[in-house]
Structure formats: structure tokens, C-alpha cells
Amino acid sequence: MTALAGPSADAFWSTSLHRWNTVCWVLFAAMAVGIATMGRPGGSTYAALALLAGVALGFAVLLRFPGNPVVRPHGYLTVLVLALGGLAYLRTSYAALFMVTLPHYWMFGRTPRASMGFLGLATAGTLVGSWVQQGWSAEFFGETTVSTLIVVAVGVLIGLWAHAVVEQSIERARLIDELKRTQEQLSEAHQRQGAADERERMAREIHDTLAQGFASIVVLAEAARAGLAADPGRSARQLRSIESTARENLAEARELVGSAGQPGGAAAGSVDRTLRRILDRFAEDTGLTVEAELADLDCDQQTRIALLRCTQESLANVRKHARASTVGVILARRPYGVELEITDDGTGFVVEASTGFGLDGMRKRLAELGGRLTVTSSVGDGTRVLAVVPPGGEGAA
């Protein structure tokens, strides 16, 4: 039925047409029986039956074979117009046929303009057939014309209403399809963004853990090799540091791959004790003086991880670039949150010219907790790194 209703049909319209077509066949049969039993035997009765049979046959062909090349929708409507004119001339069941077939003009007209055009032709054909039979009589004007125009007006109103309903349904369907496509695109975009975020997170974790550990191993190995002959004791300590760092890196790698446990040993213990171990190891490995003031703080896991990673990254930068002799670390709770300050008396650098991954990774990590990173440095004046995590990001102490 959708094909009959044209491109503008929807499920509701198709269901309604199916029900009306069932009624239409019943009324066709009733009209045929009425013409055969109530009409006088003769040529007019046979002609009326022939006209009704032509309409029914065309309708049946369109219903059964909607795409056939012989009986086209507009061809059927032409037959219907001629049949109405003929039945009106014969004064046999034309009014009943007109009312029964009113939906057909909208079903097969395809467009409102075509439907209205065929409906106008049917009206004209009916009135002309009645006029030829009745002439300019009171019956023609008082009964035929008025009743025909009333039926046509009702048909036009119903047809235009149905067409408006169908157009609204089509628009809703289009909007729903567009919404579905938009939702699918958003879902794909979220998936891509989620994958990109996860890749960035893994890259940041690898940089802040494994890469830093490997860099420490390389530095310690070079120092141990250089001091084997001059200071075997120091070289032995450095080898133990290499072994310890390698074990820690192995544990970090397993946690990153398996997503089990908390990275960086941050799941248990307070942040100050973990920072103290990192600073002691750094002082032992580098021989630099480390001055630390670490408040006894208990933070949530994400805050501990962020503070530890910021410390590791800052110390790694000191080790690789600063050529400093003294490093200062202050961990304190402030009214506005937890504050971690790391300073060195090294060569410094131009902050705006820095393109490294480490500082950017620290900023993003802190930003995820609502915190901020401030880096102050200039050539020859050392460096100050200040990380702040607000109370909402660091949890309850």
C-alpha cells in the first residue's frame, strides 16, 4: 500500500488506506448488486455495470500490480472521471461511487495539485452528465449540484488534512533519522575521543614512569661504569640503585599492561612518605643536596599520583638539564588546597620556549583534578615548579 500512497505515505496512512480499500470493495459489490436488481433491464443497466466494472478492474490492477506499465495511477483516475460522468448521465449510483472513491484522488494523484485537478474534473464530469440528462431544472440545481459540491468540499478538506498529517509524519521521520545519524556520529566521535584520551593517558603514564626509570638507569649505569676503578663502593651503590629502579619499572609495566593495582606505589601510605623515598633515592643517585619540608598529608589516590608524577618529572628535569647543586621540595596544605613546590639553583630555561612532553603532561594531569601548574624560570636563575590541587580535587585529609 505504501507504493500506492506515493512517496509521502507512512505506516499510519498505509494502514488507513488498507482498511478503506476493504470497505471500497464491499461498496463496489453493493453498488453492482443495486444496479443489477433495481435498474430496469436494458442497455442503461448494462452500461452502468460496465462503467463500474471498468473502475473496479483498474483499481484491482493498481492494487495487485502497482508498478505495471499498462494501468497507471493517472490513467485509472481518468477512467474514474469518465465513469462518474457516464453514471451521472445514466442517473445510476454516481453519488455513491463519488463518495466511495474520494480517497482515490489523493492515493493516486501523487501530489496535491494533481489530486485537486482530477477531483475538479470528476466534479465537472458529474455535473455535466447530470445537466445533459436533467437540463437546467430545479432538481439539477437543488439536489445534484448542491449534493455534489458538498461531497467534493468534504473530500477536499479530508484530503488536505490527510496530506498535511502525512507531510508532518514525513518531517518527523526525517528529523528522527537525522537525530539518529547525529547520535551515531556523536557516539563515534566519543569513541574516537575516548580512544585518543586513553592513548594520551597511557603515553603520559609511560613517560612519567617507565621512561623516567629508564633514563635513571642509563645515567646510573654510565656513572657506575666511569667509577668502577676509582670508587668501587660508589659504583656498587649505583648498581644496587639500577637493580632497584629496574624492579620498580618492571612493576610499573605490569600495572600499566594489566590495569591492576595503583601505579607508582601510590595506593598505600601517605604522600609525604612516598615523596621522601623518591627524594632519598634521587639524592643518593645524583649526589645533589635535597632540602625537603614535607607535611604529613593523606590524599586520595588520584591526587597522590599527580603529586608523585609532578615530583618525578621535576627531578628528572633537574637531573637531565638543570646542572643544579641544591633542590628544595615543600609539600604543604594551604586553605586553597595541597601545594607542592620544587625549586633548584640550576641554569634555568625560557619557559615559553619549552616544548617538552613532561611539563604539558603535568599541566593536563593537574587540570583533570581542577588544579594548576605554575613554572617560573629564567636563564641562570634556577627553576620553580608549583603544583596546586584544590580541596575538591584532593579529597579529605
Side-chain angles (χ1 to χ4, degrees), residues 166-183:
V166 170
E167 290 298 323
Q168 291 177 358
S169 300
I170 293 173
E171 180 65 15
R172 286 196 300 270
R174 185 188 67 80
L175 292 176
I176 291 173
D177 290 340
E178 184 176 347
L179 178 60
K180 289 181 178 178
R181 288 194 299 269
T182 302
Q183 289 176 336

Side-chain angles (χ1 to χ4, degrees), residues 38-272:
M38 298 179 63
R40 293 192 301 269
S44 61
T45 299
Y46 297 139
L49 289 174
L51 290 173
L52 182 61
V55 172
L57 178 61
F59 184 55
V61 171
L62 281 181
L63 284 180
R64 185 65 181 86
F65 308 103
N68 76 90
V70 178
V71 180
R72 307 301 298 164
H74 287 184
Y76 164 73
L77 292 180
T78 302
V79 172
L80 181 58
V81 168
L82 296 175
L84 285 170
L87 290 175
Y89 173 76
L90 297 173
R91 305 188 66 180
T92 306
S93 299
Y94 71 92
L97 181 63
F98 207 153
M99 288 186 291
V100 169
T101 56
L102 274 177
H104 294 183
Y105 297 98
W106 302 97
M107 290 170 57
F108 302 110
R110 303 289 177 161
T111 64
R113 178 178 296 182
S115 299
M116 293 288 289
F118 278 106
L119 189 56
L121 290 175
T123 303
T126 301
L127 293 177
V128 169
S130 298
W131 173 75
V132 171
Q133 183 61 245
Q134 300 173 7
W136 301 105
S137 63
E139 180 183 0
F140 172 74
F141 287 105
E143 296 181 9
T144 303
T145 303
V146 172
S147 60
T148 300
L149 292 179
I150 290 175
V151 170
V152 171
V154 172
V156 169
L157 292 176
I158 294 176
L160 291 176
W161 171 82
H163 180 76
V165 171
V166 170
E167 290 298 323
Q168 291 177 358
S169 300
I170 293 173
E171 180 65 15
R172 286 196 300 270
R174 185 188 67 80
L175 292 176
I176 291 173
D177 290 340
E178 184 176 347
L179 178 60
K180 289 181 178 178
R181 288 194 299 269
T182 302
Q183 289 176 336
E184 291 174 356
Q185 293 172 356
L186 286 176
S187 177
E188 293 175 358
H190 286 318
Q191 292 178 356
R192 291 194 296 269
Q193 184 61 43
D197 291 342
E198 181 62 16
R199 287 194 297 270
E200 182 179 352
R201 186 190 69 82
M202 290 298 296
R204 189 169 59 206
E205 293 292 342
I206 291 172
H207 175 273
D208 292 346
T209 57
L210 302 182
Q212 300 292 1
F214 289 139
S216 298
I217 290 174
V218 170
V219 172
L220 290 170
E222 291 174 347
R225 185 176 66 251
L228 281 176
D231 192 350
R234 180 176 175 83
S235 296
R237 291 193 301 271
Q238 290 169 334
L239 289 174
R240 286 194 298 270
S241 294
I242 290 174
E243 179 183 359
S244 178
T245 302
R247 291 183 184 277
E248 291 174 0
N249 264 26
L250 180 60
E252 293 278 4
R254 287 172 176 168
E255 289 171 353
L256 288 175
V257 172
S259 298
Q262 287 85 11
S270 62
V271 66
D272 59 290

